[in-house]
Amino acid sequence: PAWDAALAPRLYAALHKAGAAGLVASCHDLSDGGLLVAAAEMALAGGLGLALNMEGLEPFQEGPSRLLVEVPKAKASAFEKAMAGLPCLRVGEVQDSLRLVVQNAKGGRLMELALAEIETAWRGTIPKALGIAAEG
């Protein structure tokens, strides 16, 4: 999608205000790989699983001013109110499963990976490409 110079400042201002109010646990841009890569990186960083519902979403679409925001469940309503009038969509839920699960609109599994598998792939990519052994 094209850069929306009118929307971006409003989006970032609302997100900043929500963060300052304690409504945001973490946030990641949807660059280099889009939603699925951002979700995998956030799951690895937090050491928690994530279930995503891909209804109406393009999993690999990168774009300016696209963010994946983790919001504590108890604060979801307040966050959505803070983002009122701006593009904002609930796409998933953090889980204790240590797995990244991607579901379609009907709850069918499109993909499921253990965080350990994701981490192995993530850590091994650059060293493997350079022909050196990956460190644990």
Side-chain angles (χ1 to χ4, degrees), residues 30-95:
L30 269 57
S31 62
D32 297 338
L35 176 61
L36 292 182
V37 170
E41 289 176 348
M42 286 178 75
L44 287 175
L48 292 169
L50 178 60
L52 291 176
N53 182 327
M54 300 307 294
E55 182 177 3
L57 298 175
E58 168 56 52
F60 303 107
Q61 190 172 39
E62 303 167 2
S65 302
R66 288 177 174 240
L67 305 162
L68 180 58
V69 181
E70 178 189 359
V71 177
K73 191 178 261 188
K75 298 179 180 183
S77 181
F79 178 79
E80 289 168 354
K81 186 182 246 185
M83 301 303 288
L86 296 166
C88 179
L89 178 65
R90 191 180 301 203
V91 298
E93 187 172 298
V94 173
Q95 300 185 335

Side-chain angles (χ1 to χ4, degrees), residues 5-49:
L7 173 64
R10 293 181 19 241
L11 179 68
Y12 284 113
L15 182 61
H16 176 74
K17 189 173 179 180
L23 304 178
V24 175
S26 64
C27 183
H28 195 307
D29 65 309
L30 269 57
S31 62
D32 297 338
L35 176 61
L36 292 182
V37 170
E41 289 176 348
M42 286 178 75
L44 287 175
L48 292 169

